[in-house]
Amino acid sequence: TLPELLRVLKPGGCLHFVSDDADYAADAYQLLEACPRLRALPFPDLETRTKYERKWLEQEKTIFRYCYQLVD
């Protein structure tokens, strides 16, 4: 849950969200955007990919990536 995430994330820490599910990504985006303690950042260029992300890329699926930083 978002309250648990905010509890364990250190100030300045980042959440990286990745999904191929458009509805799930839209819901997560609305939730993260509405949180005044989080600031959107450009998603970093990460070399590490999960097996699922590699599979999605091979299938040419749209992948939604969000990065948010705890500001307090």
Side-chain angles (χ1 to χ4, degrees), residues 5-6 12 15 17 19 29 31 50 53-54 60 63-64 68:
L5 171 74
L6 296 173
L15 163 69
F17 175 92
S19 179
Y29 179 80
L31 182 68
T50 68
E53 189 172 1
R54 287 191 300 272
E60 298 183 1
I63 299 175
F64 303 89
Y68 284 84

Side-chain angles (χ1 to χ4, degrees), residues 8-20:
V8 299
L9 195 59
K10 293 180 181 178
C14 290
L15 163 69
H16 297 151
F17 175 92
V18 180
S19 179
D20 72 326

Side-chain angles (χ1 to χ4, degrees), residues 47-61:
E47 290 184 27
T48 304
R49 305 272 189 223
T50 68
K51 68 178 181 179
Y52 297 107
E53 189 172 1
R54 287 191 300 272
K55 182 178 176 180
W56 301 334
L57 290 169
E58 289 171 5
Q59 296 174 5
E60 298 183 1
K61 288 187 177 184

Side-chain angles (χ1 to χ4, degrees), residues 1 4 19 35-36 43 53 64:
T1 66
E4 182 66 10
S19 179
C35 182
F43 197 88
E53 189 172 1
F64 303 89

